[in-house]
Amino acid sequence: GVAAYDCVCQQEAENGNYCEAWRCEPDAASCFAADSMIQLESGSMVALSDVQIGDSVAVVDAQTGKQSFSPVVSWLDRQLDSVARFVQFETASGQKVKATAGHLVFRASTDVDNASWADAEAVWAENVQVGDFCLSH
């Protein structure tokens, strides 16, 4: 399937360089679940629902696969009290991923031990199949 996005900026940043608050139609949202965990630069793990603008969170450079930290500057879609449909899958290592069908996941063409982030392709979460090699950090 193809995910469509219908988002509108609700609040521009004071400097006009980015949008601080987006509003997206619920069916077009591309999100992880609010109870998904993310690592802060401090090393602690927190639920996405507890992340605040300005928190420095773990990110991965899609070209190199290197992890670093970056501050949250805006929300594309943050509807903590809305109901959405999620796909969930579990990796061979036991990691669980829960996201909306239209969220991008990086899939490798070979087993993860030999995979390169540069060679991975971004696919919709709904298109992940049993036997796929998904990259995570």
Side-chain angles (χ1 to χ4, degrees):
V2 175
Y5 301 93
D6 186 14
C7 301
V8 175
C9 181
Q10 298 290 305
Q11 180 180 344
E12 290 279 337
E14 285 185 27
N15 64 12
N17 288 340
Y18 61 92
C19 183
E20 289 183 339
W22 290 89
R23 177 71 181 156
C24 298
E25 292 300 319
D27 290 343
S30 177
C31 306
F32 284 113
D35 62 353
S36 297
M37 302 299 284
I38 191 165
Q39 183 181 3
L40 298 179
E41 192 167 18
S42 67
S44 62
M45 299 292 290
V46 299
L48 285 177
S49 59
D50 294 331
V51 173
Q52 302 295 314
I53 299 293
D55 286 350
S56 192
V57 299
V59 296
V60 175
D61 183 311
Q63 297 300 313
T64 66
K66 293 186 188 229
Q67 180 178 311
S68 62
F69 294 88
S70 181
V72 174
V73 296
S74 178
W75 301 113
L76 179 58
D77 184 35
R78 186 173 179 146
Q79 299 177 31
L80 299 177
D81 58 353
S82 67
V83 176
R85 290 185 310 156
F86 290 91
V87 295
Q88 180 172 321
F89 51 94
E90 185 173 346
T91 67
S93 64
Q95 291 184 333
K96 292 182 181 174
V97 176
K98 183 169 45 172
T100 55
H103 200 287
L104 292 174
V105 175
F106 285 92
R107 179 172 62 193
S109 58
T110 184
D111 68 87
V112 175
D113 292 332
N114 297 312
S116 162
W117 280 85
D119 296 330
E121 67 174 331
V123 298
W124 305 123
E126 70 181 345
N127 293 331
V128 172
Q129 310 252 333
V130 171
D132 282 351
F133 298 103
C134 295
L135 302 180
S136 66
H137 213 284

